[in-house]
Amino acid sequence: MAKLKFVKLDVLKPNNLTKIDLAKAVAEVDDSFSVKIEVVEKDRETETIRMMIDGNEIDIDEISKVIEKAGATIHSIDAITVGSEKK
Amino acid sequence: MNIPKSLRTTGAVKIARRYFVVNSFDGILTSLGIIIGLKVGGISDQGVVIAAVLGAAVALAVSGFPSGYLVEDAEHRRQIHKLEKAMLKDLSKTKMGSDAREAPFLVALVNGLSPSLAAIIILIPAFLAEGGFLNRALVFEYMMIVAFTLLAFLGAFLGTIAKENIPKYIFKTLLIGVVAATLSSAVSLMG
């Protein structure tokens, strides 16, 4: 079955939520996750970031819940990679 | 030391640190003033000293906790509302919202407990004398030593925060103690 292996998200977060805390919160969803964050734009109160998540099987709803719970918002899903494991 | 995450994420660590130093000073100098006032007034009964300083400790805690909570809660709400406007999103159910509700409580605890704790530490010699472990005649002197030792600790703490010369800060806090003690003695003598 095809699984979501990579996702690139455009996220708006408050400045006082650190990139490290947010990345750790997302990475804790699954042991296989590796999270990379790049800053796109920085304002006085907020920051737009590009979040790239690699994993064996990404549950986008779960990721979305974690990001929203932390206080950030997903603006868009900009890229994905879907793959299936050959048996 | 493990700092609660809500203090870190809300930026309240600095505020808590400030409250700790300012209010510990209050607790130490208030106790010092009471001790000197009683000594100059000729009261040597440590039961009276314990009652007076404990009374002050309770009053400082009762005054510090609610005032600290109300101020910090208002500040954090303001900060969250500002962020909500920027994010176009309700943050009350997020981790940020719960941190903003928890941080004022923790800061208020620091605000209320630090002066009381300082006052209670200064009372240790009086408690020991009451239990017969210390010479009752020297209780005031021991309490003064404890008070100045606490001031020295505060100086060291400030020096550590500033990452500067620690003895310089110890000297400053001790000097404030000497000034407060001298003024208290002078005023008590006049009374």
Side-chain angles (χ1 to χ4, degrees):
Chain A
M1 193 187 144
K3 287 172 183 166
L4 189 58
K5 302 279 185 187
F6 169 81
V7 64
K8 181 155 88 176
L9 305 170
D10 182 68
V11 175
L12 179 71
K13 70 163 199 65
N15 282 341
N16 57 356
L17 167 64
T18 68
K19 288 180 274 294
I20 294 172
D21 281 344
L22 183 60
K24 278 184 178 173
V26 173
E28 274 166 17
V29 172
D30 192 287
D31 284 346
S32 70
F33 282 8
S34 132
V35 181
K36 183 179 169 188
I37 288 179
E38 282 174 8
V39 177
V40 178
E41 194 184 338
K42 197 170 169 70
D43 290 320
R44 229 171 70 168
E45 304 288 347
T46 59
E47 216 171 27
T48 302
I49 55 169
R50 192 174 293 126
M51 180 182 277
M52 286 149 279
I53 307 163
D54 273 301
N56 290 341
E57 186 176 5
I58 299 168
D59 178 349
I60 197 70
D61 290 334
E62 187 61 29
I63 298 292
S64 168
K65 257 188 233 164
V66 170
I67 291 175
E68 295 284 332
K69 179 86 186 141
T73 305
I74 298 176
H75 274 171
S76 57
I77 299 173
D78 292 345
I80 57 164
T81 303
V82 173
S84 53
E85 275 143 32
K86 300 254 163 60
K87 286 186 181 168
Chain B
M1 205 176 89
N2 235 349
I3 295 168
K5 211 174 172 188
S6 60
L7 287 184
R8 199 165 51 78
T9 52
T10 53
V13 178
K14 266 194 252 173
I15 300 163
R17 210 158 50 195
R18 249 175 247 158
Y19 275 147
F20 171 73
V21 175
V22 170
N23 291 300
S24 297
F25 252 111
D26 276 352
I28 298 168
L29 297 185
T30 304
S31 310
L32 202 61
I34 293 171
I35 293 164
I36 290 169
L38 291 175
K39 175 82 175 167
V40 173
I43 294 162
S44 53
D45 178 5
Q46 65 260 23
V48 177
V49 182
I50 291 173
V53 177
L54 267 186
V58 171
L60 286 165
V62 172
S63 136
F65 183 80
S67 62
Y69 182 78
L70 289 176
V71 171
E72 288 311 311
D73 187 52
E75 286 292 340
H76 282 96
R77 277 173 195 273
R78 181 189 152 97
Q79 176 66 18
I80 281 289
H81 291 325
K82 223 163 103 184
L83 275 178
E84 282 177 335
K85 239 171 135 179
M87 297 280 301
L88 302 172
K89 174 185 174 167
D90 173 20
L91 292 170
S92 61
K93 289 193 175 75
T94 64
K95 179 82 180 60
M96 200 158 280
S98 62
D99 283 352
R101 285 189 294 275
E102 186 185 297
F105 180 77
L106 295 174
V107 171
L109 268 185
V110 172
N111 200 37
L113 289 183
S114 50
S116 321
L117 197 66
I120 288 164
I121 293 172
I122 291 171
L123 276 182
I124 289 174
F127 290 133
L128 290 176
E130 198 76 352
F133 300 106
L134 267 185
N135 184 353
R136 283 171 181 243
L138 291 172
V139 144
F140 280 90
E141 286 74 7
Y142 285 133
M143 284 196 288
M144 299 273 281
I145 291 170
V146 174
F148 277 94
T149 309
L150 283 181
L151 284 175
F153 271 119
L154 271 188
F157 182 62
L158 286 173
T160 314
I161 293 171
K163 294 189 172 42
E164 276 188 17
N165 191 347
I166 291 175
K168 190 176 85 184
Y169 277 92
I170 293 177
F171 174 75
K172 282 180 185 173
T173 51
L174 289 179
L175 187 67
I176 294 166
V178 170
V179 170
T182 311
L183 286 175
S184 295
S185 312
V187 171
S188 302
L189 278 172
M190 279 192 278

